[in-house]
Amino acid sequence: MNACGRIFFLVLILTSAALFSALTAEARDLSLLKACEVVMGKEVAGIAKGKLMSPPLGEAQACAYLVEMPDGTVESYRFSIQAPAGIEAMWKSQTAAERGQAVAGLWDQAYVAKQFMASGLSLAAVKRNDLAIEVTGERKDVLLAIATLAISRLR
């Protein structure tokens, strides 16, 4: 085998090893992530421009926040961390209209849509082969800000 052949063979082996490693990489251990620590209640209240009514409710991978707005109304937001397979399967089963509006810049894929059988909106974002997040609540701008904050901390 000449020098070019040996270099080609070496590149082929290294490329194959890198591809195999990427395809077999395991998603991170979600049990180590605490949603209420990734996005804290005071941050959600600040983003929504309101006052946190009570400590965030939830454990492990889901957290709920109740925010009193200056006009006395109450908005609720929920943030969850989950394996990406569930969100990806849901998207595959939905029509484009059901998936909602694509959101650029939030990991590999993200959509915001009306919640199914509930009021408000849902924003889901997936980092393939790693994790997914979902943020639900009243206002799109707040959902986007919460998702952006969470993603910056979950890198």
Side-chain angles (χ1 to χ4, degrees):
M1 185 182 291
N2 65 22
C4 272
R6 284 192 298 269
I7 291 172
F8 176 75
F9 185 69
L10 181 61
V11 169
L12 181 63
I13 289 172
L14 292 174
T15 303
S16 297
L19 180 60
F20 179 77
S21 175
L23 291 175
T24 59
E26 291 185 28
R28 73 178 87 186
D29 183 357
L30 299 182
S31 69
L32 301 175
L33 300 173
K34 308 295 182 227
C36 291
E37 293 174 9
V38 173
V39 178
M40 293 181 271
K42 65 181 180 179
E43 294 168 321
V44 172
I47 290 167
K49 296 181 176 43
K51 178 183 169 192
L52 194 63
M53 292 183 65
S54 64
L57 307 169
E59 293 183 22
Q61 287 79 45
C63 196
Y65 316 88
L66 291 175
V67 180
E68 182 178 6
M69 303 310 296
D71 66 1
T73 60
V74 176
E75 294 182 356
S76 65
Y77 294 92
R78 184 176 174 275
F79 167 66
S80 65
I81 304 167
Q82 53 197 283
I87 297 287
E88 290 172 328
M90 178 184 70
W91 286 339
K92 284 180 184 176
S93 72
Q94 292 176 321
T95 65
E98 291 169 331
R99 262 190 308 278
Q101 178 185 7
V103 180
L106 297 180
W107 282 335
D108 297 316
Q109 196 171 13
Y111 294 95
V112 65
K114 289 184 178 183
Q115 286 193 77
F116 179 70
M117 296 183 68
S119 64
L121 301 169
S122 171
L123 185 153
V126 167
K127 185 175 185 183
R128 283 192 191 87
N129 300 319
D130 191 15
L131 63 106
I133 62 168
E134 184 175 17
V135 185
T136 61
E138 314 298 318
R139 292 183 283 143
K140 182 179 172 182
D141 62 322
V142 175
L143 301 186
L144 288 168
I146 293 170
T148 301
L149 175 64
I151 285 171
S152 74
R153 293 181 176 162
L154 292 169
R155 297 203 181 265

